[in-house]
Amino acid sequence: MEAEYQRYDGVTAKTVADELVDTYSEVYSVPPYVDDPFFTVDMFGDRLHRAFGMPGFEAVTARVDGQVVGLVHGVTLTADKPWWVSLDDRAGDKLRTAVENGEVFWLRELMVRPKYGRQGLGRQLHDTIITGREETATALTCVIGNEPAHSAYLRWGYRIMGQIKHAPESPVYDAMVLSSHPM
């Protein structure tokens, strides 16, 4: 299977927003997400549309036969994000300074439709979005117990900084960081 990868900025991503939401709808239609109000399609759509206007927004899609089968998106991490603030000193001074200087990419979502899982698309999406970015580190949050994603991030070189919540109603996440990536 050969996938085609395409990059989008905040303006062009709006033109494929329905496809991104549709992909999310399929990926998150299984337990434990399907019954959790934090993971509704409407909540994702709202978060996605807010992200379009954030500094450094970028998305990458993987398409097979024209259909989006995977996607990743993120923004430049700002020091005022509540989950980031909640890490306190666990992130370390060097990383805190990097965030304050706009040098950390926040990988907000990475997903592959189940039919296309375990074929390397997730890794390719990840590597495509971080390659060439100006930021020198990438941070993400992963729901604790979200396997195989959690193990994949650790294999890819991420380290766990600590546990956080995005909102009072959200599940507990591991905040993770990849210290450097290809330029």
Side-chain angles (χ1 to χ4, degrees), residues 71-83:
L71 71 100
V72 60
H73 75 85
V75 298
T76 302
L77 181 60
T78 56
D80 63 344
K81 294 297 173 201
W83 74 265

Side-chain angles (χ1 to χ4, degrees), residues 145-163:
N146 178 3
E147 292 297 337
H150 197 270
S151 294
Y153 294 136
L154 293 173
R155 279 193 317 276
W156 299 349
Y158 283 84
R159 69 173 172 80
I160 298 170
M161 295 179 284
Q163 294 182 346

Side-chain angles (χ1 to χ4, degrees), residues 155-176:
R155 279 193 317 276
W156 299 349
Y158 283 84
R159 69 173 172 80
I160 298 170
M161 295 179 284
Q163 294 182 346
I164 61 96
K165 290 185 82 164
H166 285 277
E169 67 277 10
S170 82
V172 178
Y173 290 75
D174 271 335
M176 305 172 93

Side-chain angles (χ1 to χ4, degrees), residues 113 126 163 179:
R113 291 183 188 263
H126 172 273
Q163 294 182 346
S179 295

Side-chain angles (χ1 to χ4, degrees), residues 131-143:
T131 298
R133 288 202 58 96
E134 292 182 19
E135 300 92 349
T136 57
T138 300
L140 59 80
T141 60
C142 183
V143 174

Side-chain angles (χ1 to χ4, degrees), residues 97-108:
T97 299
V99 169
E100 290 168 7
N101 293 334
E103 299 170 354
V104 177
F105 180 64
W106 174 19
L107 193 150
R108 292 173 50 101

